[in-house]
Amino acid sequence: MALHPAHRRRRTARRLLTTAAGTVTGLLVTGLLAAPAPAQPPTDASTGPDAPIGTVARAVGDARFEPGPCPKTPEPIEALDGARCGTLTVPENRAEPSGRTIELGVAIVPAATDEPKPDPIVWLAGGPGDDAVGEAKMAIDGGLNRDRDVIFMSQRGTYSAEPNLLCPNIDEFNARSVGLVYDAPSTERLHVEATKACRDRLAARGIDLGAYNDTESAADYEDLRKALGIEQWNLFGISYGTHLALAYMRLHPEGLRSVGIDGILPPSKAGSAATWSSARQGFDGLFKACADQPACNERYPNLSATFDRLVRELEAKPVTTTVTLPGSDKPVKVVLDGGALVNWMTSATHVAPQVPAALDELAHGKPQRIAQQWAGGKLSPQAIGRVAHGLSYGVFCSAWTPYESEDAALQGGRATFPSFPRSVQAQAPQLAFLHPDCDAWNVPAASPSIRDATRGDIPTLALSGGFDSQTGADNGPYVASTLGKAKVVTVPYEPHVVFATSKCAQEITVSFFDDPAAPKTACLKGLEAPEFEIGP
């Protein structure tokens, strides 16, 4: 992770788009996963049709749900107290139904009301590679369970699934990489070595790495719906979860009442070039907000030009510094070059009020704040051993790289940031060395249909943040253009995944599930830009 400070209104951040071995950017869900919660007894002794969902064992086709203990999480999650839990068992590869099976942890948080609506909400986690169960606090704090049960299932390969496809060696390389030149050939070599070492270890366990992808994950959720006996449900996906939600809508529309997507990553355009476009949108939104604020504009004029200049200067002559991180007195060496600064900035929109001052400090020979944030996320204990890189690469290397050229990143960088050095343009934000990594991962390409735009008339809420530099706000109108009942909402001044940081976004989302035809958006009118930090 690139960054781990508190957001101005909420301490809980989240991991967003995960990436290739050495360049994971975004924020980790601070509440990601914990020790196993105890099994919850059924709230109704009945095993008939009126029994609460998640309390009855049921097999449908090749899938089986069994009530049992709650999925494991690294830290306790209070939101799971009272959850009804169990395990969904499904084929690892549905093309080989008689082959090995995998187990996915399920937790169902009951509605806060005594009379819940019959159609629950299913939370689709970010990443790819995050465990939905670990994001329960975010969902419940945002009020999603006001009138409906909320279902969390660990996507295949994630922390509480069996098997999990974690790669601690990649996380450890990420931590070491803060002391390396971001886009140097030597860094690429170590980066790909870490990826291949993880692949070899997982393959040696007999895991079918080609079975960890959108298509199989969407089928897992559809199997869960049927095994729980639910006629219709609603989806809410964040970040990569929107990618999965859009695939699910295309493949299994019949059981969907409505879909909310927040921090939108359309499968039909996902890839290296798109990350450059998203970065441009988020950066420009933040720079404009500073320019529109007299005190910020006076103290930090032409912030965009300052940023561009720093990228060029650092790429020509990287700065090396030493920082200490919260909770440790051990010095950490940090190298800041142009690529590192771009990736820091991609995540720094989550702490937007600090950005102008931090860039100004860097421009005046004080790199410590940016260096500390850049290193802090990657060296955080929450960045080690929790992300299923095997699922990340399963998605990237089946659905993305087979359908974009190896120079797509360079083309996207040139189009959006023409002043950047070629070495920076060649490594897309969040996705450095993606093609070499996927060559090492070596899984089959998904069907070309994975890149089809999702079409239909399922009511859809398309949420974005005006400062989102990871999945740009233009993805909202893009997906809505082929969805007949889509509502596009951009929450100004907010970063990636607005549900996590904006009370207004939470209110809009809850109102959408109440009435998908008419979400309440009046709260948008009162929103103001953050007050930017003004240094001496």
Side-chain angles (χ1 to χ4, degrees):
M1 305 302 99
L3 191 67
H4 225 277
H7 188 273
R8 64 182 181 273
R9 286 196 296 279
R10 185 186 177 98
R11 290 190 177 274
T12 302
R14 65 242 150 260
R15 208 177 84 86
L16 311 169
L17 192 63
T18 153
T19 97
T23 54
V24 184
T25 67
L27 302 178
L28 212 7
V29 181
T30 24
L32 252 197
L33 325 168
Q40 302 299 326
T43 56
D44 184 331
S46 169
T47 59
D50 296 327
I53 58 171
T55 60
V56 178
R58 184 182 287 111
V60 178
D62 295 319
R64 178 176 178 81
F65 175 79
E66 189 74 41
C70 286
K72 64 179 181 178
T73 56
E75 298 91 25
I77 297 178
E78 187 176 347
L80 295 177
D81 291 349
R84 303 186 296 270
C85 296
T87 302
L88 182 74
T89 301
V90 295
E92 182 179 48
N93 187 334
R94 288 177 172 81
E96 301 175 8
S98 60
R100 66 184 284 172
T101 59
I102 61 175
E103 296 180 355
L104 310 177
V106 178
I108 303 167
V109 175
T113 180
D114 290 335
E115 297 183 3
K117 301 287 174 56
D119 45 282
I121 297 170
V122 183
W123 180 274
L124 301 181
D130 288 346
D131 192 320
V133 182
E135 295 178 349
K137 175 177 169 56
M138 191 196 313
I140 303 310
D141 283 356
L144 277 191
N145 72 322
R146 188 190 69 186
D147 301 307
R148 289 173 169 81
D149 293 351
V150 182
I151 300 174
F152 304 89
M153 182 171 76
S154 50
Q155 289 174 32
R156 54 175 49 214
T158 58
Y159 184 92
S160 62
E162 177 56 46
N164 67 54
L165 274 61
L166 309 181
C167 298
N169 74 299
I170 288 180
D171 301 323
E172 290 159 3
F173 174 77
N174 288 342
R176 295 195 305 274
S177 72
V178 301
L180 304 176
V181 175
Y182 180 84
D183 49 22
S186 55
T187 303
E188 176 181 353
R189 184 179 67 254
L190 294 170
H191 190 289
V192 176
E193 285 177 2
T195 301
K196 187 174 186 306
C198 179
R199 188 211 188 280
D200 291 346
R201 181 178 59 81
L202 295 176
R205 290 166 53 192
I207 294 170
D208 181 355
L209 297 176
Y212 292 79
N213 54 49
D214 291 317
T215 302
E216 292 284 3
S217 289
D220 293 340
Y221 281 95
E222 183 64 0
D223 279 348
L224 178 66
R225 181 182 70 83
K226 293 175 180 176
L228 292 177
I230 297 170
E231 182 178 349
Q232 271 198 327
W233 62 13
N234 308 274
L235 304 181
F236 188 70
I238 63 166
S239 193
Y240 164 72
T242 69
H243 192 284
L244 179 56
L246 288 162
Y248 189 158
M249 292 167 73
R250 185 173 58 79
L251 295 167
H252 307 285
E254 57 273 11
L256 297 178
R257 170 182 176 266
S258 69
V259 177
I261 46 178
D262 177 4
I264 302 165
L265 183 62
S268 51
K269 63 185 284 193
S272 297
T275 66
W276 276 119
S277 172
S278 294
R280 176 94 263 179
Q281 293 173 65
F283 298 175
D284 285 354
L286 190 155
F287 295 149
K288 183 179 185 302
C290 174
D292 289 346
Q293 205 168 97
C296 189
N297 189 49
E298 181 179 347
R299 178 66 181 80
Y300 309 112
N302 300 315
L303 196 59
S304 179
T306 299
F307 175 69
D308 280 16
R309 175 174 59 80
L310 286 169
V311 171
R312 295 193 304 271
E313 291 177 353
L314 288 173
E315 191 67 3
K317 188 176 181 181
V319 167
T320 301
T321 189
T322 301
V323 300
T324 55
L325 302 177
S328 173
D329 56 4
K330 182 180 178 181
V332 176
K333 174 189 170 185
V334 179
V335 175
L336 293 177
D337 61 358
L341 185 63
V342 169
N343 279 271
W344 166 80
M345 183 68 186
T346 303
S347 290
T349 51
H350 290 270
V351 287
Q354 297 185 38
V355 168
L359 289 173
D360 185 71
E361 290 167 5
L362 179 62
H364 290 87
K366 298 177 180 178
Q368 282 73 27
R369 186 195 317 223
I370 289 177
Q372 188 175 56
Q373 291 180 347
W374 177 235
K378 292 187 177 186
L379 274 74
S380 164
Q382 293 172 320
I384 308 295
R386 303 191 183 189
V387 175
H389 294 277
L391 177 58
S392 305
Y393 286 124
V395 173
F396 296 150
C397 304
S398 67
W400 294 19
T401 57
Y403 299 106
E404 67 169 13
S405 65
E406 190 157 0
D407 67 350
L410 179 62
Q411 294 172 5
R414 284 174 172 167
T416 52
F417 292 94
S419 67
F420 283 1
R422 186 185 191 281
S423 54
V424 175
Q425 295 169 336
Q427 303 301 336
Q430 314 173 70
L431 296 170
F433 314 125
L434 182 59
H435 273 267
D437 276 329
C438 283
D439 288 343
W441 203 253
N442 189 27
V443 292
S447 164
S449 64
I450 198 69
R451 305 290 293 189
D452 290 349
T454 300
R455 302 178 183 276
D457 58 2
I458 297 169
T460 304
L461 175 66
L463 278 171
S464 300
F467 287 175
D468 188 345
S469 53
Q470 293 168 284
T471 57
D474 68 347
N475 286 332
Y478 172 81
V479 298
S481 68
T482 55
L483 295 171
K485 295 182 180 178
K487 307 290 184 182
V488 177
V489 176
T490 298
V491 184
Y493 318 121
E494 291 293 340
H496 185 62
V497 183
V498 294
F499 187 88
T501 56
S502 167
K503 270 292 182 195
C504 181
Q506 293 167 3
E507 292 171 9
I508 292 169
T509 302
V510 172
S511 74
F512 167 76
F513 289 119
D514 281 346
D515 182 359
K520 297 176 181 177
T521 59
C523 60
L524 293 170
K525 296 177 183 177
L527 299 180
E528 297 180 353
E531 184 175 341
F532 290 96
E533 176 186 328
I534 305 298

